[in-house]
Amino acid sequence: MTADADFRAGAGCFPIIFQSAPLPRGGIDQAVQSFSSALAKDPNFQRARAWRAYAYVTAGIDGWGWSNFNDARLGSAQDLFSVGLLDAQAAAQGAGTDPRVQYDTLWALAFCHLHSRPTATTDQEMKHRFAKVNFDKALTICRSSAIEDPYFLAETADSLVYLGEVARAEKLINQAIRLARNAGPVPPWFFWVKAWIAYCAGCLDDDIAKFSSAIQSLRKMFKLDSTNNEILPEDFDALVLMAACYREVGEMKLANAAAQQAIQTIQAKKGQPWRWQREVARAPFDPFDGDARELQKSWRNALRELFP
């Protein structure tokens, strides 16, 4: 296979990976293996380096190990974030002038900054600023070069919430859904992102209608999943969010039922207790942005009440 074929094989794993959270072990392994193979054949293949960096950080977020990645630089879970960030920086620096390469590498760099841990040279405030700057650069290239990628737009919308840019995130997820609908069925997780953004907008605006809108988006997500007899792992995230939304509209019986179903789902999948504190800790809200800080507080309070 050529380096380009390896890259496309790796990228082809992501529609499956996007649909399945926690990540399927085989899917993320295959993606990383394909990107590493592409880089072995072409060390200057910056899109492959950027996508592998994204895969490393995504695996770190979801709690996967690193032993199957065959990268000598990885020796701990923390290394998934630090090595991912280093590779994303190298990819962006070597991207050249091709808009698609620039877009992918800048987007990956923004994502890695957002989820990376503070270091001796990049503190908490700087990493969020770097994330925002690079998301802005990627979206500028997206507009100027007419790049239409609904998956990355949806991921960007999700990421912008943590930076306090909820109104902007809402526009992006609506755009992502329109683009996806033009190509076929909308991936169910798009509706989770739309619901998450509506929930956060409701928290900021104290608007019960936004919470009701979020519940409707989650119902669309479940309807799309109804043809699959297996409980999709991403349903856990939807159930947690559904519980939080029902809490906000005063439907505590429904909220508690969704919370209990969420616990049963995640324990069946992972075989170990789930703690709401970990869910709060893994959400990379920007503590230096007023709206993001308010959202983090609202999310923490909701989870603490629903999952005592």
Side-chain angles (χ1 to χ4, degrees):
M1 292 178 67
T2 64
D4 187 66
D6 282 332
F7 169 75
R8 294 187 183 283
C13 296
F14 276 84
I16 300 171
I17 292 171
F18 275 133
Q19 299 273 34
S20 306
L23 299 180
R25 176 77 264 185
I28 198 69
D29 286 350
Q30 183 181 344
V32 169
Q33 181 180 359
S34 296
F35 297 140
S36 295
S37 179
L39 286 165
K41 294 169 184 174
D42 180 1
N44 294 316
F45 202 145
Q46 303 304 346
R47 287 186 78 190
R49 180 170 283 105
W51 279 60
R52 187 179 66 178
Y54 170 62
Y56 279 175
V57 171
T58 305
I61 294 168
D62 214 59
W64 285 114
W66 62 92
S67 58
N68 290 351
F69 292 164
N70 296 320
D71 188 330
R73 299 173 298 170
L74 299 174
S76 69
Q78 172 60 33
D79 291 340
L80 288 167
F81 296 95
S82 58
V83 172
L85 179 57
L86 287 172
D87 278 1
Q89 290 171 326
Q93 290 169 359
T97 58
D98 185 313
R100 182 69 222 205
V101 178
Q102 291 178 332
Y103 173 72
D104 282 22
T105 56
L106 286 168
W107 189 93
L109 179 57
F111 181 88
C112 291
H113 269 304
L114 178 63
H115 292 278
S116 66
R117 294 351 185 208
T119 67
T121 57
T122 306
D123 63 19
Q124 185 85 348
E125 184 173 12
M126 288 175 65
K127 80 183 190 71
H128 283 92
R129 297 288 78 74
F130 288 153
K132 185 173 292 189
V133 165
N134 286 294
F135 276 130
D136 286 344
K137 289 180 179 179
L139 289 170
T140 297
I141 292 171
C142 181
R143 289 190 299 269
S144 63
S145 301
I147 296 172
E148 297 184 339
D149 189 326
Y151 283 93
F152 277 159
L153 287 176
E155 278 272 357
T156 303
D158 180 31
S159 296
L160 289 179
V161 169
Y162 299 110
L163 297 170
E165 298 196 19
V166 175
R168 193 177 176 200
E170 186 174 17
K171 292 179 181 178
L172 284 182
I173 191 57
N174 289 336
Q175 182 183 354
I177 289 173
R178 286 195 300 270
L179 289 172
R181 189 171 283 132
N182 290 339
V186 179
W189 68 271
F190 280 37
F191 291 108
W192 182 91
V193 175
K194 186 175 176 64
W196 171 237
I197 294 168
Y199 170 83
C200 290
C203 290
L204 291 177
D205 300 338
D206 195 21
D207 185 348
I208 196 170
K210 299 286 180 65
F211 301 120
S212 298
S213 174
I215 292 169
Q216 291 305 313
S217 291
L218 290 169
R219 286 175 175 161
K220 287 182 181 179
M221 173 183 168
F222 284 121
K223 182 178 180 180
L224 287 171
D225 284 346
S226 63
T227 57
N228 192 323
N229 291 326
E230 180 186 359
I231 297 176
L232 295 181
E234 73 174 354
D235 284 0
F236 165 74
D237 294 324
L239 287 164
V240 171
L241 183 54
M242 182 78 84
C245 291
Y246 277 133
R247 170 183 175 271
E248 293 295 340
V249 299
E251 296 281 0
M252 289 308 301
K253 185 176 180 179
L254 292 172
N256 290 329
Q260 286 304 310
Q261 189 176 345
I263 289 294
Q264 293 169 8
T265 300
I266 196 64
Q267 289 182 347
K269 287 291 178 180
K270 288 197 168 185
Q272 59 188 24
W274 176 81
R275 298 286 182 263
W276 66 266
Q277 293 91 339
R278 182 181 183 278
E279 190 69 15
V280 171
R282 70 196 287 263
F285 287 106
D286 182 356
F288 299 93
D289 180 273
D291 284 349
R293 192 164 56 246
E294 183 63 29
L295 290 174
Q296 184 178 44
K297 179 181 177 182
S298 297
W299 188 233
R300 182 191 301 111
N301 289 341
L303 294 185
R304 182 169 51 198
E305 180 178 331
L306 290 164
F307 303 95

